[in-house]
Amino acid sequence: MKKPLVVIGGPTACGKTAMSILLAKKIGGEIISADSMQVYRYMDIGTAKVTKEEADGVPHYLIDEYDPDEEYNVMIFQKKAKEYMEKIWAKGKIPIVVGGTGFYINALLYDNAFTETDGDDSFRQACYEKAEKEGAEALFQELLQVDPAYAATTHANNIKRVTRALEYHHLTGRLFSEHNAEQKQKQSPYQSAVIILTMEREKLYARIEQRVDLMMKQGLLEEVQGLLERGYDGRMVSMQGLGYKEFLPYFAGEISVQQAVDELKTGTRRFAKRQLTWFRRQIEGLWIDLSETNKDAALLQMLEYLSSKGIDAAQI
């Protein structure tokens, strides 16, 4: 019998954290973060990391588990998430995977296979060095030549994903887009239910504006400064995340704080748009527009959907 797995995805700032905690408390769930940035320590404000008060007693995993200079990728996420799922099931609880990194969600949901490098990461490091020396666009142009189909699904600044596709092609001679298409045909090994939270674009953009303003009041600038003082800099993949890379030019004396804030707001809006596009193309499930319903009604929709998928809190 397949074990239950609930997935909650959606764009940044749409309300995933609050809804996932409401659902977890209702069904006896524990949350695994599918966010590529919240896993890092010292990066709290810029990643909108869940606070102890917000968690309200619901256990969260894959948050604050790696330092910003440690490697974290889809393979590590998949391995760690599966380990935590086993622990959660052993407690008679339901794992709820929550995040906006759709690539991570897909990899876990369908148990996608990845090719390890047997400890040789020289090609990967060469890609990172090229991006650092020549810029992310130069690396992206290489991907456009090798695998234009996959390049169309990612952004030039997402160095990790661009590198992963190039590395896969280098190791196997195959296209990453073909690999992903094959994996997508697989059936999930879990009794899974996927819920995508969304919001009318203008309302979502307004929430993003408010979130960034709040981050600044909470001390985002000081958080970035603290990371730099710890020795973490723009050469690290973690520091290229939204909320951090925008302030590096400010600390280099190249732009003003307001310019950095404006860049963050613009970048976050674009990121949310890409997330929505990705989920529409890649994931099937229940879509809930939170701009058209309140939390109680949305929670009821979630519970009814889980029941229809054979996931019932009363049966756990």
Side-chain angles (χ1 to χ4, degrees), residues 65-298:
E65 294 195 17
Y66 289 83
D67 286 338
D69 58 353
E70 292 183 278
E71 182 172 10
Y72 187 66
N73 55 41
V74 66
M75 290 181 288
I76 296 172
F77 162 76
Q78 187 189 57
K79 179 177 181 293
K80 296 288 292 183
K82 287 163 80 171
E83 290 173 0
Y84 285 131
M85 285 159 59
E86 291 293 342
K87 290 181 179 180
I88 294 168
W89 287 323
K91 291 191 283 184
K93 303 283 188 177
I94 300 175
I96 305 174
V97 176
V98 182
T101 309
F103 185 46
Y104 282 20
I105 288 173
N106 238 11
L108 182 65
L109 187 60
Y110 298 105
D111 198 20
N112 291 354
F114 294 98
T115 304
E116 295 281 5
T117 61
D118 296 323
D120 181 9
D121 64 351
S122 57
F123 183 85
R124 190 183 319 152
Q125 292 304 319
C127 287
Y128 290 154
E129 288 172 12
K130 179 171 182 173
E132 181 184 346
K133 292 176 182 177
E134 303 176 32
E137 184 62 35
L139 193 67
F140 185 69
Q141 288 300 319
E142 192 174 327
L143 179 61
L144 273 174
Q145 295 295 319
V146 170
D147 191 349
Y150 184 74
T153 69
T154 192
H155 191 275
N157 289 338
N158 196 328
I159 298 170
K160 284 172 68 174
R161 286 188 64 184
V162 171
T163 296
R164 176 65 195 147
L166 289 171
E167 183 181 38
Y168 181 81
H169 180 260
H170 173 75
L171 292 170
T172 67
R174 300 183 63 225
L175 300 182
F176 203 45
S177 56
E178 294 176 352
H179 166 79
N180 285 351
E182 290 171 1
Q183 296 295 328
K184 193 178 177 184
Q185 298 304 313
K186 292 173 62 176
Q187 294 293 315
S188 175
Y190 311 109
Q191 187 73 19
S192 60
V194 180
I195 300 164
I196 308 299
L197 302 179
T198 186
M199 187 168 283
E200 191 271 323
R201 184 171 295 181
E202 292 307 314
K203 290 184 180 179
L204 180 62
Y205 286 178
R207 283 172 63 95
I208 288 171
E209 294 268 334
Q210 293 166 4
R211 172 181 277 191
V212 173
D213 289 340
L214 178 60
M215 285 176 172
M216 293 304 293
K217 290 178 183 177
Q218 291 173 330
L220 178 56
L221 195 64
E222 291 76 15
E223 180 170 273
V224 179
Q225 184 177 15
L227 287 162
L228 293 171
E229 290 173 352
R230 286 176 180 269
Y232 304 124
D233 58 41
R235 290 172 296 179
M236 297 173 185
V237 173
S238 61
M239 292 295 283
Q240 287 300 310
L242 274 172
Y244 299 92
K245 64 181 178 181
E246 292 82 8
F247 293 96
L248 298 180
Y250 163 73
F251 285 105
E254 298 169 1
I255 63 173
S256 68
V257 171
Q258 190 56 52
Q259 284 175 301
V261 170
D262 291 343
E263 280 293 316
L264 176 54
K265 289 180 177 178
T266 299
T268 307
R269 287 195 300 269
R270 290 173 179 164
F271 179 56
K273 184 179 179 181
R274 290 198 304 273
Q275 286 176 302
L276 278 169
T277 299
W278 194 95
F279 280 115
R280 286 193 186 101
R281 290 177 178 174
Q282 300 287 339
I283 300 260
E284 293 183 3
L286 172 68
W287 282 70
I288 300 177
D289 188 335
L290 292 176
S291 58
E292 296 181 353
T293 187
N294 59 38
K295 289 181 179 179
D296 290 339

